[in-house]
Amino acid sequence: MADLAPVLADLIVEADNLDAIVGGLSEAAWATPTPAPGWTIAHQIAHLAWTDDIARLAATDPASFRARLDDMPVHQDGYVDRVARERAQQPTERVLSDWREGRAALADALRAVPERTRLPWFGPPMSATSMATARLMETWAHGQDVADTLGVLRVPTERLRQVAHIGVRTRDFAYLVHGSAPPAEPFRIELMAPSGQTWTWGPHDAAQRVTGPALDFCLLVTQRRNRRDLAVTATGAEADGWLDIAQAFAGPPGGGRAPGQSA
């Protein structure tokens, strides 16, 4: 089982870096549309604040989280958009302070989760480490939308390993949300890390393979770039098909991005 401490440290740094980008924005800048249809920068941060709050509830009061599941139909079209819209209508200072307070409280809550405890979630239960990994992935992905909107170039870091890992682990989920049976055989994933090292998953002799830069793979599985704009390649028909539907996030299939939409 992966250690929580380094993953949580990565999550905190990722959120702090995004905070440094949005913290000094004007009220008008917060209303700037992002690549996500209908979402402004305020929507992006409001959504992160909401999911951090819900994750904290799962970590601190699993029974209350389960009781609220029926009131949180996140798999229904439009639900997540509606929640983001409602929270984004608050004053900018409130949106920002809610996110700051909520992510700090989540970090404290995850540290207090007893070892080997499984936390309830909208999908299968997960460990505190997996919850931190999922929050890092989403923070990075929504941060990419903000960075693209503002023309900010983010330097890739080794934190991408956490994003890539959840992208690999959600392979079967991507098939299921598209109504297809996942392939029986595991794939081999080989990604070039920002450091120049190679990150690998799956058996070395697998017939189905995916290779490319870790950054490009993370942009693909979070659907922040169109596959045509990325240097991710597949060997084998099943691996090739997976790259067309891959998604590291929960919920229904995303709409993705159009070719060339982001520089």
Side-chain angles (χ1 to χ4, degrees), residues 30-260:
W30 277 78
T32 305
T34 68
W39 281 37
T40 65
I41 291 176
H43 285 76
Q44 301 280 354
I45 302 303
H47 173 72
L48 289 176
W50 175 73
T51 44
D52 284 346
D53 288 347
I54 296 301
R56 178 172 57 85
L57 180 64
T60 58
D61 193 347
S64 293
F65 175 86
R66 294 187 186 95
R68 289 183 57 185
L69 275 180
D70 291 340
D71 297 326
M72 296 186 293
V74 296
H75 298 292
Q76 291 184 5
D77 288 343
Y79 178 77
V80 172
D81 291 329
R82 176 166 58 84
V83 173
R85 181 173 63 252
E86 291 172 353
R87 295 188 67 143
Q89 289 173 350
Q90 301 175 109
T92 295
E93 295 82 359
R94 175 67 182 277
V95 175
L96 187 57
S97 64
D98 281 355
W99 178 47
R100 288 170 172 169
E101 293 170 8
R103 70 183 199 248
L106 173 61
D108 290 340
L110 292 177
R111 291 189 191 98
V113 173
E115 190 174 356
R116 300 187 183 281
T117 298
R118 308 295 289 181
L119 305 177
W121 197 235
F122 300 104
M126 63 177 69
S127 67
T129 303
S130 294
M131 181 70 81
T133 304
R135 299 307 310 130
L136 193 157
M137 177 275 297
E138 191 167 23
T139 301
W140 180 84
H142 288 281
Q144 187 64 51
D145 285 339
V146 173
D148 288 341
T149 300
L150 299 173
V152 174
L153 179 62
R154 302 192 300 174
V155 177
T157 72
E158 298 299 285
R159 294 191 300 276
L160 287 177
R161 185 180 183 92
Q162 309 296 347
V163 181
H165 179 70
I166 201 169
V168 173
R169 291 290 300 272
T170 52
R171 185 202 73 167
D172 289 0
F173 171 77
Y175 284 94
L176 294 174
V177 297
H178 280 84
S180 301
E185 300 298 324
F187 296 170
R188 174 70 170 184
I189 314 298
E190 298 181 352
L191 304 176
M192 181 66 70
S195 65
Q197 296 180 333
T198 301
W199 296 336
T200 64
W201 292 263
H204 67 87
D205 58 348
Q208 306 292 320
R209 311 175 74 86
V210 170
T211 60
L215 173 61
D216 286 25
F217 180 80
C218 292
L219 290 168
L220 176 72
V221 298
T222 58
Q223 297 189 3
R224 262 52 190 182
R225 292 290 188 277
N226 189 279
R227 180 183 175 184
R228 298 180 188 177
D229 298 329
L230 300 171
V232 181
T233 60
T235 300
E238 290 182 335
D240 185 70
W242 174 50
L243 295 186
D244 286 334
I245 63 171
Q247 68 175 67
F249 50 88
R257 302 287 186 264

